């Protein structure tokens, strides 16, 4: 038992096991299917928050355009599902059967050639993972090699998010426009709208998320993680030591893009649609809030941040439909001002030291021996036979 506790302290897996217990046991037992499906959707955003911990917390580079990679992963999966839902039999009422309905509405008479790879599921999975990573590599290489960082990098990534949103909305015949891709029902013939499918997709999301946390924890504890921290705090010293700082940052940016794409693909599978409203500037900033509230240095804290912010968003929008945006802003400002290191910092700096001090005081306290009947007779005051109890005079009797 002691060796297991040492292993948990050394690897930091204790908080991961607690999170796994919450996601695998507590939520499925305590929540109905509707709420559990909402949690599954929130966990898709948690993938983006994990990437931001690696990029922003460890790499020191803030990206305000992670919605781009989330959307690319989601649109890649949506293209496959849309083609599967657009077989010639189902779309026989269209003027051109066999193509997605929004293409038919926009007078397209044939499937665009760049849609063809998405007829294959293995190729779709490959493209979902590689296309966002490749785009992140091109953007990161172009900017980090020229030592573009800080505020300028954040502004450029925001501009890319805006450009992609305008592109998606403008090319309605190829992307579905402002409505996005909807009516996504099956995956390889498996109906994703059934109750059993929702449970399975939830647990798949949890498994992928926990696997991503373990991978990122391993990176943080490796030499690469140490170098990322060193570059964040003393970039010039790392560069003078002979390391290529730009390529390490490109790696962190690509890793964050890959995780975001996985989250986007799982989001499409669980929710059944993908739209440009999930790609633009506002959702990208919301994703940064997840990491800021949870703690940008903590992987598990970022997951809790994504869950907390989205729970608050759902609760406030249901209970206070006219004020929920103000309440969300107040929550974010309060957490950032009160706990600059997020909820993870609150636990590390306040809760954990208080608990450790309490446990140390309890261990240092002397143990009180149990009082036996013989000891009670020994401690009792000596009284002569026939004497009255103390406090009672003979006159009272």
């Amino acid at each position: 038992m002691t060796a297991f506790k040492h292993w948990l302290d050394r690897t930091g897996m204790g908080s991961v096991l607690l999170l796994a217990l919450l996601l695998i046991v507590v939520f499925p037992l305590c929540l109905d299917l509707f709420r559990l499906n909402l949690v599954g959707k929130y966990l898709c955003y948690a993938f983006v928050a994990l990437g931001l911990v690696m990029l922003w917390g460890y790499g020191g580079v803030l990206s305000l355009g992670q919605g781009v990679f989330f959307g690319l992963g989601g649109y890649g999966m949506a293209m496959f599902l849309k083609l599967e839902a657009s077989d010639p039999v189902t779309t026989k009422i269209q003027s051109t059967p066999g193509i997605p309905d929004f293409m038919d509405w926009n007078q397209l008479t044939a499937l665009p050639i760049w849609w063809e790879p998405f007829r294959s599921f293995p190729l779709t999975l490959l493209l979902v993972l590689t296309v966002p990573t490749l785009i992140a590599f091109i953007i990161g290489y172009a900017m980090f090699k020229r030592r573009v960082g800080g505020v300028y990098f954040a502004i450029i990534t925001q501009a890319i998010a805006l450009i992609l949103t305008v592109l998606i909305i403008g090319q309605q015949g190829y992307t579905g426009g402002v409505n996005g891709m909807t009516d996504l029902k099956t995956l390889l013939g498996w109906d994703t709208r059934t109750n059993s499918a929702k449970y399975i997709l939830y647990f798949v999301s949890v498994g992928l998320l926990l696997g991503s946390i373990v991978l990122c924890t391993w990176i943080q504890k490796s030499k690469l993680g140490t170098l990322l921290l060193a570059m964040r705090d003393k970039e010039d010293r790392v560069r003078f030591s002979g390391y290529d700082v730009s390529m390490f940052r490109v790696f962190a940016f690509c890793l964050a893009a890959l995780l975001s794409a996985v989250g986007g693909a799982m989001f499409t599978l669980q929710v059944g649609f993908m739209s440009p409203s999930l790609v633009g500037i506002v959702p990208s900033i919301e994703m940064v809030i997840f990491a800021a509230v949870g703690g940008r240095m903590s992987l598990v804290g970022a997951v809790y941040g994504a869950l907390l912010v989205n729970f608050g968003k759902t609760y406030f929008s249901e209970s206070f439909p006219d004020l929920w945006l103000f309440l969300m802003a107040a929550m974010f400002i309060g957490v950032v001002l009160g706990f600059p290191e997020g909820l993870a910092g609150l636990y590390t700096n306040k809760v954990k030291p208080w608990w450790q001090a309490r446990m140390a005081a309890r261990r240092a306290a002397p143990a009180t021996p149990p009082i036996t009947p013989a000891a009670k007779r020994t401690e009792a005051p000596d009284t002569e036979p026939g004497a009255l109890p103390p406090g009672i005079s003979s006159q009272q009797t």
Side-chain angles (χ1 to χ4, degrees):
M1 188 64 183
T2 305
F4 181 67
K5 289 180 65 178
H6 286 319
W7 178 79
L8 290 179
D9 293 337
R10 188 179 71 255
T11 59
M13 285 292 110
S15 56
V16 180
L17 292 179
L18 285 177
L19 177 65
L21 181 67
L22 179 69
L23 297 179
I24 297 175
V25 179
V26 177
F27 280 165
L29 290 178
C30 298
L31 300 177
D32 57 31
L33 184 58
F34 174 74
R35 296 292 174 185
L36 191 67
N37 196 30
L38 281 180
V39 173
K41 187 178 77 170
Y42 303 159
L43 294 181
C44 297
Y45 293 126
F47 284 94
V48 189
L50 290 183
L52 284 168
V53 170
M54 298 301 295
L55 178 64
W56 181 29
Y58 270 68
V61 179
L62 175 60
S63 169
L64 294 179
Q66 290 305 102
V68 171
F69 309 111
F70 184 85
L72 288 174
Y75 265 97
M77 183 59 69
M79 290 165 75
F80 172 79
L81 299 180
K82 193 64 181 177
L83 285 179
E84 186 173 325
S86 305
D87 58 277
V89 176
T90 308
T91 58
K92 61 183 179 181
I93 61 173
Q94 296 179 177
S95 56
T96 307
I99 63 173
D101 49 5
F102 58 83
M103 291 185 183
D104 190 62
W105 300 337
N106 287 275
Q107 286 83 44
L108 292 185
T109 57
L111 190 71
I113 189 170
W114 53 278
W115 269 71
E116 290 293 342
F118 293 95
R119 291 187 183 277
S120 167
F121 184 62
L123 199 53
T124 298
L125 288 181
L126 183 65
L127 292 173
V128 162
L129 299 178
T130 55
V131 169
T133 308
L134 180 61
I135 292 177
F137 177 82
I138 296 172
I139 296 172
Y141 189 86
M143 288 200 282
F144 293 136
K145 277 293 182 182
R146 289 170 173 77
R147 299 190 183 184
V148 177
V151 178
Y152 298 103
F153 183 83
I155 293 173
I156 291 173
T157 51
Q158 242 186 2
I160 293 171
L162 179 61
I163 291 170
L164 183 62
T165 306
V166 172
L167 185 65
I168 290 174
I169 294 175
Q171 299 298 319
Q172 186 171 354
Y174 300 103
T175 62
V178 70
N179 295 322
M181 297 185 193
T182 57
D183 203 21
L184 310 176
K185 303 173 183 175
T186 59
L187 173 66
L188 298 173
W190 179 48
D191 193 342
T192 56
R193 298 167 299 173
T194 61
N195 292 344
S196 60
K198 290 178 180 177
Y199 275 112
I200 292 174
L201 289 173
Y202 169 80
F203 285 112
V204 170
S205 296
V206 170
L208 289 174
L209 185 67
L210 294 176
S212 301
I213 293 175
V214 173
L215 172 65
C216 292
T217 303
W218 176 74
I219 293 175
Q220 288 180 352
K221 294 187 176 299
S222 67
K223 184 179 178 181
L224 177 58
T226 306
L227 281 172
L228 287 175
L229 277 179
M231 285 187 299
R232 185 196 64 181
D233 298 332
K234 299 291 181 183
E235 178 182 342
D236 289 337
R237 291 188 182 183
V238 177
R239 182 174 287 111
F240 293 155
S241 300
Y243 292 101
D244 190 345
V245 172
S246 59
M247 292 311 295
F248 284 107
R249 285 184 170 163
V250 169
F251 168 78
F253 192 41
C254 291
L255 177 63
L258 177 64
L259 292 173
S260 302
V262 173
M266 291 307 302
F267 181 91
T268 302
L269 283 173
Q270 295 196 69
V271 180
F273 76 93
M274 177 54 65
S275 75
S277 63
L278 301 165
V279 178
I281 294 176
V282 173
S284 297
I285 293 176
E286 285 183 350
M287 293 166 187
V288 175
I289 294 176
F290 302 154
V293 170
R296 65 178 180 137
M297 292 299 294
S298 171
L299 295 167
V300 176
V303 176
Y304 285 120
L307 290 175
L308 178 66
V309 173
N310 283 288
F311 269 128
K313 189 176 179 180
T314 301
Y315 174 75
F316 291 145
S317 60
E318 289 177 350
S319 305
F320 310 98
D322 297 331
L323 300 173
W324 72 273
L325 276 176
F326 298 99
L327 295 173
M328 288 296 299
M331 184 179 76
F332 172 64
I333 294 172
V335 170
V336 171
L337 291 179
F339 315 110
E341 298 179 12
L343 299 178
L346 174 66
Y347 171 76
T348 304
N349 300 328
K350 302 292 183 184
V351 178
K352 189 176 179 180
W354 171 80
W355 179 254
Q356 289 177 342
R358 181 183 175 88
M359 296 305 294
R362 178 172 295 183
R363 286 193 297 269
T368 304
I371 302 175
T372 61
K376 286 183 178 179
R377 287 195 296 272
T378 305
E379 293 175 356
D382 295 334
T383 55
E384 296 179 356
L388 294 175
I392 300 179
S393 64
S394 58
Q395 294 177 350
Q396 290 175 330
T397 59

